[in-house]
Amino acid sequence: MDETYYEFGTPADRWDRAQFFFEAKEYLTAARILGGLVEEAPEQVAPRLLLARAYYHSARLAKAEAELREVLERNPVEDYARLMLGRTLERQGRHAEAAPHLRMADAMAGNFPPES
């Protein structure tokens, strides 16, 4: 890919730019920038989570799911990724697959069902 304004600058510059575009609801542009950041530093959770959110909001659910599964492979106790994965699966109509992820996210956040 040719380097353009979006991919230009230090990783910190690109992170700021990606956050700006995400907050402006320009999810495809944010994803474009974040994709490069994730390639450069795949171990970083924050860019990968924001990339998954950008994919989710732009209805690229399979890509969001893949990023979230990668986050959870690297960090199984990342509760926000667990919640997002559950929501992503729900949005795809995969409710049975979503349920355990949503329950785990609730438990990790300390949200337990009321006792009967």
Side-chain angles (χ1 to χ4, degrees):
M1 177 186 307
D2 292 335
E3 189 170 307
T4 64
Y5 163 77
Y6 303 111
E7 290 87 21
F8 183 76
T10 67
D13 292 336
R14 289 178 283 141
W15 171 246
D16 289 342
R17 193 173 301 123
Q19 289 179 305
F20 171 80
F21 281 108
F22 184 88
E23 290 168 11
K25 297 183 178 8
E26 294 288 336
Y27 302 118
L28 294 177
T29 303
R32 179 176 168 186
I33 298 164
L34 290 161
L37 288 171
V38 166
E39 281 181 23
E40 289 175 31
E43 72 285 354
Q44 294 288 322
V45 172
R48 197 176 288 276
L49 274 176
L50 191 58
L51 177 58
R53 289 178 64 201
Y55 285 150
Y56 179 88
H57 288 298
S58 61
R60 297 163 78 184
L61 301 177
K63 288 185 175 225
E65 179 184 349
E67 292 301 329
L68 292 164
R69 289 190 186 279
E70 184 63 32
V71 168
L72 292 169
E73 179 71 27
R74 294 169 184 272
N75 186 358
V77 296
E78 176 57 57
D79 60 328
Y80 187 68
R82 188 74 60 189
L83 173 65
M84 279 193 62
L85 179 57
R87 297 275 189 252
T88 300
L89 293 169
E90 277 185 331
R91 195 166 167 197
Q92 294 177 72
R94 295 161 57 191
H95 300 283
E97 284 180 74
H101 295 288
L102 295 172
R103 281 193 306 272
M104 283 179 28
D106 274 347
M108 291 173 165
N111 301 326
F112 299 103
E115 293 184 31
S116 4

